[in-house]
């Protein structure tokens, strides 16, 4: 029998709580917000209090209902967004697959990837059968099984795997881990050197400053300005020829002391006419600029530059500045670079930093910016300061013409003529300077197709050069340390070993260790070391830290292209000597466009007569712009090597799931998805 309620105690308790709430200021001010959390004990006589409590409870219930409805609405919107994005990706992938053209032949590299894919699928089927039959938990032995049974065959496979295959794979794994650690140490030392330069405030010092010098003398003294030749090699650069020519022609340098060479290798006659009209326009504005076109385009860019340097008037010039067609130097570029040559007769090259007008255009350009920021901020700066040598970047640099002639001039024996001439100049005793604070605007490739073609040339060329100049390095008169730096660091470690271990370790060895578990790849090699190296790489561009995971995965994906290019260049295979001009879109920064427009709108005088572009030249230009040829329709495409590797990695991730290997599973899963996204060309510019 239940105890009867004590109404007197309840009335006292309610009165006491009412007095406490009146005295307590904090409780009184927040009573409306937290009333639904309190429990009041009322007597049957306090009907008003009971009604108020019921009203509060109903209000709290309505508020909670609205909160839950709002949360459900947000979740529904998120799910709808994810679903729509996933469906859009599937439709895009289906369209790419159905419209993809079938190549005429398959490369050896792709055939090897197909072999590994078939092998991984077969091994996965075997492991699935063994898993569902319980053989993973109690492996069969040869002694206890009949020779013709499936269980005996699986036991035999386990014996072959453990005694023959796994030891070989483990040896290769250990070699790659050692190479990985050596390369990581090299990266760490470079970063330490960069921090040292930053903390000490070290930078090259020029002997003179043209701005201070002109201010003291009350104007330009032509004798203080050396003769400078400016070269712009280009080939079918319809989108960028105007901005590059204009940026060079408005240089703050005496016109009597500068000559601009437009070295046009275009095969398109319309583009040739457009560039000629642009040159005529600037000639009529008083700029010393000439147009050169080769009838026989041999040697690509190197042949173009070599032909231009053979002109008789070149002997009148002391320095040559080189800009690719998409580069837009600032008006003070020459005034910031030429002074470093004064008083340094052994200085051959002044290299400046690249800056990108489209680095935030898409995910692909953001990831490229991370790599190139590290290259210029760390590699070029550290090598330039401590050993006065680095690879010439092919553009945005000024050469002493005497140094070019001393080392044999431009050669077209490789696809990296810039690195070739830098190595030969270094072996002849010349020194280089890198200016990190002088930047030259340019474009990054926005499509994956253009990017991999550029990377193939950049990674096959160094191996061609290494094969050709190895003996020359050994026989040169430079010190032993310089020879060791060239052979072991410049070529082997950073040009050969890096793409080799990246592809072999993460695209071949890691999936195979899932099917050959007796050979193990430590988890710190998969997670910790790549993560630390990625952090080091991203330090020069701190705004890119949110992209550190995509950067790590994408770099492993690019190892396929780099490894293929490295092998091609080293052994002269396939298209190692193929030169394809990187596609540009003609993007310019707003500030540069304003500066160029202001310069063009300024009235230029010669003998008191205003000069302007000729009517015939403008008419020709307008006619050609209106009658441009229809270009070949661009479209996104499929990349079979990346797709094949994505299926290998995803197959291995399923096998790692059976073994409950967490870190390996997630790495293989996300890396396989990254390969799939890249293989479907879903990164970079999307052509509708």
């Amino acid at each position: 029998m239940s105890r009867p309620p004590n109404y007197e105690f309840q009335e006292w308790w309610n009165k006491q709580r009412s007095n406490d709430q009146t005295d307590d200021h904090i409780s009184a001010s927040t009573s409306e917000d937290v009333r639904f959390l309190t429990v009041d004990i009322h007597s049957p006589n306090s009907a008003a209090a009971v009604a108020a409590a019921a009203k509060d409870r109903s209000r709290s219930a309505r508020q909670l209902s609205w909160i839950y409805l709002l949360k459900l609405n947000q979740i529904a919107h998120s799910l709808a967004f994810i679903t729509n994005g996933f469906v859009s990706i599937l439709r895009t992938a289906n369209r790419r697959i159905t419209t993809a053209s079938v190549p005429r032949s398959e490369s050896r590299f792709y055939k090897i990837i197909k072999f590994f894919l078939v092998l991984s699928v077969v091994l996965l089927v075997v492991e699935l059968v063994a898993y569902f039959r319980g053989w993973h938990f109690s492996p069969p032995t040869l002694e206890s099984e009949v020779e013709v049974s499936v269980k005996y065959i699986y036991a035999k496979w386990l014996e072959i795997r453990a005694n023959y295959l796994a030891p070989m794979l483990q040896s290769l794994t250990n070699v790659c881990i050692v190479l990985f650690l050596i390369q990581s140490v090299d990266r760490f030392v470079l970063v330490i050197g960069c921090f040292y330069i930053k903390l000490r405030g070290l930078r090259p010092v020029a002997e003179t400053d043209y701005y201070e010098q002109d201010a003291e003398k009350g104007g330009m003294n032509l004798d203080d300005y050396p003769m400078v030749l400016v070269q712009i090699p280009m080939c079918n650069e319809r989108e960028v020829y105007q901005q590059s020519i204009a940026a060079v022609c408005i240089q703050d340098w005496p016109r009597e002391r500068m000559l601009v060479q437009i070295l046009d290798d275009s095969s398109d006659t319309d583009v040739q006419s457009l560039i000629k009209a642009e040159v005529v326009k600037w000639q009529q504005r008083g700029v010393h600029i000439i147009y050169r076109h080769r009838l026989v385009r041999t040697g690509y860019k190197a042949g173009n530059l070599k032909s231009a340097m053979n002109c008789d008037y070149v002997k009148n010039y002391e320095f040559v500045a080189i800009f690719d067609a998409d580069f837009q130097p600032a008006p003070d570029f020459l005034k910031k670079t030429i002074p470093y040559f004064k008083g340094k007769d052994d200085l051959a090259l002044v290299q400046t930093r690249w800056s990108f007008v489209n680095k935030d255009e898409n995910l692909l350009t953001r990831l490229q910016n991370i790599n190139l920021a590290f290259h210029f901020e760390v590699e070029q700066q550290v090598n330039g300061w401590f050993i006065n040598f680095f690879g010439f970047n092919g553009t945005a640099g000024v050469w002493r013409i005497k140094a070019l002639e001393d080392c044999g001039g431009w050669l077209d024996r490789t696809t990296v003529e810039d690195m070739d001439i830098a190595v030969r100049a270094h072996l002849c005793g010349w020194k280089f300077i890198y200016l990190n604070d002088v930047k030259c605007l340019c474009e990054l490739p926005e499509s994956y197709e253009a990017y991999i073609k550029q990377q193939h040339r950049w990674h096959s060329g160094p191996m061609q050069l290494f094969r050709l100049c190895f003996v020359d390095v050994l026989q040169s008169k430079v010190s032993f340390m310089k020879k060791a730096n060239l052979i072991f660091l410049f070529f082997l470690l950073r040009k050969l070993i890096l793409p080799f271990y990246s592809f072999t370790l993460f695209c071949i060895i890691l999936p195979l260790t899932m099917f050959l578990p007796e050979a193990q790849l430590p988890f710190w090699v998969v997670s910790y070391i790549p993560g630390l190296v990625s952090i080091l790489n991203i330090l020069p561009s701190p705004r890119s830290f949110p992209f550190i995971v995509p950067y790590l995965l994408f770099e492993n994906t690019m190892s396929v292209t780099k490894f293929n290019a490295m092998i091609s260049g080293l052994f002269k295979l396939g298209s190692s000597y193929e030169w394809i001009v990187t596609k540009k879109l003609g993007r310019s920064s707003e500030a540069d466009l304003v500066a160029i427009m202001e310069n063009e709108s300024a009235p230029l005088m010669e003998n008191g007569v205003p000069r302007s572009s000729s009517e015939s030249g403008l008419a020709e230009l307008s006619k050609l712009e209106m009658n441009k040829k229809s270009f070949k329709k661009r479209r996104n495409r499929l990349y079979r090597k990346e797709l094949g590797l994505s299926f290998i990695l995803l197959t291995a991730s399923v096998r790692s799931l059976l073994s409950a290997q967490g870190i390996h599973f997630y790495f293989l899963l996300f890396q396989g998805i990254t390969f799939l996204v890249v293989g479907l060309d879903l990164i970079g510019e999307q052509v509708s």
Side-chain angles (χ1 to χ4, degrees):
M1 182 174 178
S2 62
R3 179 183 300 179
N6 189 345
Y7 297 113
E8 294 180 357
F9 172 79
Q10 292 175 354
E11 291 178 358
W12 174 85
W13 174 260
N14 293 333
K15 183 184 296 184
Q16 190 69 24
R17 282 186 53 79
S18 176
N19 294 335
D20 292 343
Q21 291 176 357
T22 303
D23 296 334
D24 191 350
H25 174 71
I26 299 176
S27 176
S29 62
T30 60
S31 61
E32 280 296 319
D33 297 330
V34 300
R35 187 176 296 170
F36 69 94
L37 297 176
T38 62
V39 178
D40 293 339
I41 305 175
H42 297 281
S43 66
N45 299 330
S46 55
V50 172
K55 183 178 180 180
D56 290 341
R57 284 194 295 270
S58 63
R59 183 189 304 170
S60 300
R62 286 197 302 271
Q63 291 174 346
L64 289 175
S65 300
W66 281 110
I67 291 174
Y68 289 139
L69 287 175
L70 181 61
K71 294 292 185 183
L72 289 174
N73 186 46
Q74 293 175 345
I75 294 173
H77 276 292
S78 301
L79 291 176
F81 176 78
I82 294 173
T83 304
N84 290 336
F86 184 70
V87 171
S88 176
I89 291 175
L90 288 180
R91 288 176 178 174
T92 303
N94 181 62
R95 186 169 63 251
R96 302 269 165 85
I97 294 172
T98 54
T99 60
S101 58
V102 180
R104 296 179 181 177
S105 60
E106 297 179 350
S107 64
R108 296 189 188 95
F109 190 46
Y110 178 64
K111 291 179 180 178
I112 294 174
I113 292 176
K114 280 209 314 185
F115 168 76
F116 276 104
L117 175 58
V118 173
L119 180 63
S120 63
V121 171
V122 171
L123 292 177
L124 178 62
V125 172
V126 171
E127 295 300 331
L128 286 173
V129 171
Y131 181 82
F132 287 111
R133 293 198 176 192
W135 297 343
H136 275 201
F137 307 101
S138 56
T141 59
L142 294 174
E143 293 79 8
S144 60
E145 303 299 333
V146 182
E147 291 189 11
V148 295
S149 65
V150 177
K151 210 170 184 180
Y152 177 84
I153 296 175
Y154 184 72
K156 191 66 176 178
W157 159 245
L158 293 180
E159 181 186 27
I160 295 173
R161 193 176 76 182
N163 296 333
Y164 301 101
L165 300 179
M168 292 189 295
L169 182 61
Q170 188 66 58
S171 300
L172 181 59
T173 302
N174 295 337
V175 170
C176 288
I177 291 176
V178 171
L179 296 178
F180 185 24
L181 293 177
I182 293 174
Q183 197 274 335
S184 302
V185 170
D186 173 65
R187 191 63 44 117
F188 182 74
V189 170
L190 287 173
V191 172
I192 293 297
C194 183
F195 275 121
Y196 176 80
I197 292 174
K198 294 293 183 183
L199 292 175
R200 297 293 300 271
L202 304 177
R203 64 181 304 276
V205 179
E207 292 287 334
T208 184
D209 187 323
Y210 280 115
Y211 292 103
E212 295 180 359
Q213 183 176 283
D214 293 343
E216 293 174 358
K217 296 182 179 181
M220 287 187 179
N221 183 7
L222 296 183
D223 294 335
D224 296 331
Y225 289 82
M227 299 288 286
V228 178
L229 181 67
V230 181
Q231 296 178 331
I232 307 180
M234 57 178 62
C235 179
N236 296 322
E237 307 282 2
R238 182 189 294 265
E239 293 80 10
V240 295
Y241 73 93
Q242 281 182 309
Q243 63 192 36
S244 60
I245 293 175
V248 167
C249 289
I250 64 172
Q251 283 294 305
D252 186 12
W253 197 261
R255 294 186 175 179
E256 298 84 354
R257 314 292 289 179
M258 181 179 74
L259 173 65
V260 180
Q261 284 184 321
I262 306 301
L263 311 178
D264 183 24
D265 263 0
S266 300
S267 57
D268 190 331
T269 55
D270 279 1
V271 176
Q272 295 176 24
S273 300
L274 288 169
I275 297 174
K276 286 179 184 178
E278 186 72 13
V279 170
V280 170
K281 181 180 75 174
W282 286 101
Q283 285 175 343
Q284 293 175 347
R285 291 175 177 268
V287 177
H288 293 177
I289 180 172
I290 60 174
Y291 174 87
R292 284 180 53 85
H293 177 73
R294 296 191 301 162
L295 296 178
V296 180
R297 186 187 169 216
T298 58
Y300 303 110
K301 181 181 176 181
N304 199 0
L305 293 171
K306 182 178 181 180
S307 174
M309 294 300 292
N310 289 333
C311 296
D312 293 335
Y313 54 78
V314 172
K315 64 179 181 294
N316 299 323
Y317 293 84
E318 188 176 356
F319 304 105
V320 55
I322 303 172
F323 302 100
D324 282 350
D326 60 313
F327 278 70
Q328 307 160 42
D332 59 354
F333 180 88
L334 293 178
K335 282 192 172 182
K336 286 186 175 180
T337 53
I338 297 295
Y340 290 91
F341 287 97
K342 187 174 181 180
K344 301 182 181 70
D345 295 335
D346 59 346
L347 181 62
L349 169 66
V350 173
Q351 173 71 58
T352 64
R353 181 171 180 166
W354 297 0
S355 180
F356 310 105
V357 297
N358 61 338
K359 63 182 179 182
D360 297 324
E361 186 66 26
N362 54 44
L363 179 60
L364 178 61
T365 58
R366 291 177 185 272
L367 300 180
Q368 292 180 67
N369 179 61
I370 295 173
N371 262 340
L372 291 171
F374 183 87
H375 170 69
F376 284 104
E377 183 83 20
V378 179
E379 291 180 338
Q380 297 292 74
Q381 187 170 210
V382 170
N383 290 326
W385 179 260
F386 289 104
I387 60 178
N388 296 120
F389 168 71
F390 47 81
F392 174 45
N393 294 116
T395 178
V398 182
W399 277 90
R400 189 189 296 272
I401 294 180
K402 181 181 178 182
L404 292 177
E405 295 171 347
D406 183 46
C407 62
W410 297 102
L411 299 179
D412 57 2
R413 57 181 181 171
T414 70
T415 58
V416 284
E417 73 293 326
D418 44 11
M419 185 183 295
D420 187 357
I421 201 166
V423 169
R424 286 184 283 118
H426 181 58
L427 295 179
C428 291
W430 292 94
K431 295 181 179 179
F432 303 164
I433 282 180
Y434 171 73
L435 303 179
N436 192 57
D437 56 346
V438 180
K439 300 180 181 180
C440 189
L441 284 173
C442 62
E443 280 189 38
L444 290 167
E446 295 184 13
S447 68
Y448 184 67
E449 180 181 12
Y451 181 58
I452 61 172
K453 289 177 180 178
Q454 180 196 70
Q455 292 300 304
H456 188 278
R457 188 175 77 245
W458 285 5
H459 286 81
S460 66
M463 290 299 97
Q464 302 165 14
L465 181 60
F466 177 65
R467 190 183 67 250
L468 294 171
C469 73
F470 178 72
V471 177
D472 295 334
V473 173
L474 294 178
Q475 296 177 349
S476 64
K477 297 180 181 180
V478 298
S479 65
F480 173 78
M481 292 303 297
K482 290 184 177 180
K483 293 180 181 179
N485 173 70
L486 268 176
I487 294 175
F488 294 107
L489 291 181
F490 187 76
F491 279 115
L492 289 181
L493 184 59
R494 297 168 189 164
K495 303 295 188 298
L496 189 149
I497 290 177
L498 177 58
F500 170 77
Y501 85 75
S502 296
F503 174 74
T504 307
L505 193 61
F506 296 111
C507 300
I508 299 298
I509 291 179
L510 178 58
L512 286 180
T513 55
M514 299 298 102
F515 299 106
L516 306 177
E518 292 82 3
Q520 296 184 353
L521 186 63
F523 71 92
W524 53 267
V525 177
V526 179
S527 57
Y528 294 159
I529 301 299
L532 291 175
V533 172
S534 298
I535 292 175
L536 294 179
N537 289 346
I538 215 168
L539 285 177
S541 52
R543 288 181 53 199
S544 301
F545 261 99
F547 302 96
I548 187 169
V549 174
Y551 170 74
L552 170 62
L553 297 174
F554 181 70
E555 279 302 291
N556 290 335
T557 306
M558 282 304 299
S559 66
V560 182
T561 299
K562 296 175 181 179
F563 177 82
N564 186 27
M566 182 267 293
I567 295 297
S568 305
L570 190 62
F571 299 104
K572 296 191 290 186
L573 302 176
S575 57
S576 59
Y577 284 91
E578 183 182 15
W579 180 288
I580 299 176
V581 178
T582 305
K583 182 69 177 175
K584 293 106 177 176
L585 299 179
R587 301 191 184 275
S588 301
S589 66
E590 183 178 351
D592 286 329
L593 287 175
V594 171
I596 292 173
M597 292 302 296
E598 288 178 351
N599 187 276
E600 289 189 358
S601 61
L604 300 174
M605 306 289 291
E606 182 177 346
N607 299 326
V609 180
R611 303 190 57 133
S612 63
S613 299
S614 66
E615 295 181 1
S616 61
L618 288 176
E620 180 185 7
L621 181 62
S622 301
K623 180 180 177 181
L624 288 171
E625 289 289 354
M626 294 297 294
N627 297 312
K628 287 182 179 179
K629 288 183 177 180
S630 59
F631 291 100
K632 182 180 179 181
K633 185 178 180 180
R634 294 188 299 124
R635 65 179 182 183
N636 295 99
R637 47 176 296 198
L638 296 178
Y639 297 95
R640 298 183 302 165
K641 292 191 287 290
E642 286 80 357
L643 288 174
L645 282 165
S646 73
F647 296 132
I648 291 175
L649 293 170
L650 293 174
T651 303
S653 70
V654 176
R655 174 63 182 87
S656 68
L657 190 62
L658 299 179
S659 304
Q661 294 178 315
I663 294 179
H664 296 75
F665 166 73
Y666 288 114
F667 184 88
L668 287 166
L669 176 64
F670 289 116
Q671 190 64 70
I673 293 174
T674 305
F675 267 104
L676 183 63
V677 169
V678 173
L680 294 173
D681 201 5
L682 297 175
I683 188 173
E685 182 188 24
Q686 299 298 302
V687 181
S688 59

